[in-house]
PDB file of all heavy atoms in Angstrom:
ATOM      1  N   ALA A  57      22.187   8.231  15.879  1.00  0.00           N
ATOM      2  CA  ALA A  57      22.102   9.683  15.709  1.00  0.00           C
ATOM      3  C   ALA A  57      22.872  10.410  16.812  1.00  0.00           C
ATOM      4  O   ALA A  57      23.531  11.420  16.549  1.00  0.00           O
ATOM      5  CB  ALA A  57      20.637  10.121  15.706  1.00  0.00           C
ATOM      6  N   LEU A  58      22.805   9.899  18.023  1.00  0.00           N
ATOM      7  CA  LEU A  58      23.572  10.514  19.113  1.00  0.00           C
ATOM      8  C   LEU A  58      25.074  10.366  18.877  1.00  0.00           C
ATOM      9  O   LEU A  58      25.844  11.299  19.134  1.00  0.00           O
ATOM     10  CB  LEU A  58      23.185   9.886  20.451  1.00  0.00           C
ATOM     11  CG  LEU A  58      21.830  10.286  21.001  1.00  0.00           C
ATOM     12  CD1 LEU A  58      21.519   9.502  22.279  1.00  0.00           C
ATOM     13  CD2 LEU A  58      21.785  11.771  21.281  1.00  0.00           C
ATOM     14  N   VAL A  59      25.489   9.208  18.363  1.00  0.00           N
ATOM     15  CA  VAL A  59      26.904   9.015  18.023  1.00  0.00           C
ATOM     16  C   VAL A  59      27.305  10.010  16.941  1.00  0.00           C
ATOM     17  O   VAL A  59      28.385  10.613  16.997  1.00  0.00           O
ATOM     18  CB  VAL A  59      27.157   7.561  17.566  1.00  0.00           C
ATOM     19  CG1 VAL A  59      28.537   7.408  16.941  1.00  0.00           C
ATOM     20  CG2 VAL A  59      26.993   6.609  18.729  1.00  0.00           C
ATOM     21  N   GLY A  60      26.439  10.213  15.960  1.00  0.00           N
ATOM     22  CA  GLY A  60      26.710  11.188  14.902  1.00  0.00           C
ATOM     23  C   GLY A  60      26.850  12.592  15.441  1.00  0.00           C
ATOM     24  O   GLY A  60      27.701  13.366  14.990  1.00  0.00           O
ATOM     25  N   LEU A  61      26.023  12.931  16.415  1.00  0.00           N
ATOM     26  CA  LEU A  61      26.112  14.254  17.028  1.00  0.00           C
ATOM     27  C   LEU A  61      27.462  14.435  17.736  1.00  0.00           C
ATOM     28  O   LEU A  61      28.109  15.476  17.589  1.00  0.00           O
ATOM     29  CB  LEU A  61      24.962  14.452  18.012  1.00  0.00           C
ATOM     30  CG  LEU A  61      24.908  15.791  18.731  1.00  0.00           C
ATOM     31  CD1 LEU A  61      24.698  16.921  17.730  1.00  0.00           C
ATOM     32  CD2 LEU A  61      23.812  15.790  19.767  1.00  0.00           C
ATOM     33  N   VAL A  62      27.881  13.421  18.459  1.00  0.00           N
ATOM     34  CA  VAL A  62      29.175  13.489  19.136  1.00  0.00           C
ATOM     35  C   VAL A  62      30.303  13.600  18.112  1.00  0.00           C
ATOM     36  O   VAL A  62      31.239  14.384  18.279  1.00  0.00           O
ATOM     37  CB  VAL A  62      29.373  12.268  20.059  1.00  0.00           C
ATOM     38  CG1 VAL A  62      30.792  12.176  20.569  1.00  0.00           C
ATOM     39  CG2 VAL A  62      28.387  12.323  21.218  1.00  0.00           C
ATOM     40  N   LEU A  63      30.219  12.811  17.036  1.00  0.00           N
ATOM     41  CA  LEU A  63      31.235  12.893  15.985  1.00  0.00           C
ATOM     42  C   LEU A  63      31.273  14.278  15.362  1.00  0.00           C
ATOM     43  O   LEU A  63      32.347  14.816  15.074  1.00  0.00           O
ATOM     44  CB  LEU A  63      30.975  11.850  14.903  1.00  0.00           C
ATOM     45  CG  LEU A  63      31.353  10.406  15.224  1.00  0.00           C
ATOM     46  CD1 LEU A  63      30.858   9.490  14.108  1.00  0.00           C
ATOM     47  CD2 LEU A  63      32.836  10.260  15.405  1.00  0.00           C
ATOM     48  N   ALA A  64      30.097  14.847  15.128  1.00  0.00           N
ATOM     49  CA  ALA A  64      30.043  16.169  14.504  1.00  0.00           C
ATOM     50  C   ALA A  64      30.670  17.229  15.408  1.00  0.00           C
ATOM     51  O   ALA A  64      31.336  18.143  14.925  1.00  0.00           O
ATOM     52  CB  ALA A  64      28.597  16.540  14.188  1.00  0.00           C
ATOM     53  N   LEU A  65      30.458  17.102  16.699  1.00  0.00           N
ATOM     54  CA  LEU A  65      30.983  18.107  17.618  1.00  0.00           C
ATOM     55  C   LEU A  65      32.457  17.893  17.951  1.00  0.00           C
ATOM     56  O   LEU A  65      33.195  18.850  18.163  1.00  0.00           O
ATOM     57  CB  LEU A  65      30.165  18.115  18.912  1.00  0.00           C
ATOM     58  CG  LEU A  65      28.713  18.559  18.770  1.00  0.00           C
ATOM     59  CD1 LEU A  65      27.980  18.383  20.086  1.00  0.00           C
ATOM     60  CD2 LEU A  65      28.628  19.990  18.285  1.00  0.00           C
ATOM     61  N   ALA A  66      32.898  16.641  17.987  1.00  0.00           N
ATOM     62  CA  ALA A  66      34.240  16.355  18.474  1.00  0.00           C
ATOM     63  C   ALA A  66      35.255  16.061  17.373  1.00  0.00           C
ATOM     64  O   ALA A  66      36.423  16.398  17.519  1.00  0.00           O
ATOM     65  CB  ALA A  66      34.193  15.178  19.442  1.00  0.00           C
ATOM     66  N   GLY A  72      29.976  13.381  11.083  1.00  0.00           N
ATOM     67  CA  GLY A  72      28.826  13.403  11.982  1.00  0.00           C
ATOM     68  C   GLY A  72      27.522  13.592  11.230  1.00  0.00           C
ATOM     69  O   GLY A  72      26.529  12.927  11.517  1.00  0.00           O
ATOM     70  N   ILE A  76      24.368  10.992  11.125  1.00  0.00           N
ATOM     71  CA  ILE A  76      23.017  11.418  11.502  1.00  0.00           C
ATOM     72  C   ILE A  76      22.041  11.161  10.357  1.00  0.00           C
ATOM     73  O   ILE A  76      20.904  10.731  10.577  1.00  0.00           O
ATOM     74  CB  ILE A  76      23.015  12.895  11.930  1.00  0.00           C
ATOM     75  CG1 ILE A  76      23.784  13.067  13.234  1.00  0.00           C
ATOM     76  CG2 ILE A  76      21.595  13.425  12.077  1.00  0.00           C
ATOM     77  CD1 ILE A  76      24.035  14.506  13.619  1.00  0.00           C
TER      78      ILE A  76
END
Side-chain angles (χ1 to χ4, degrees):
L58 286 175
V59 168
L61 180 63
V62 169
L63 283 173
L65 294 174
I76 292 170

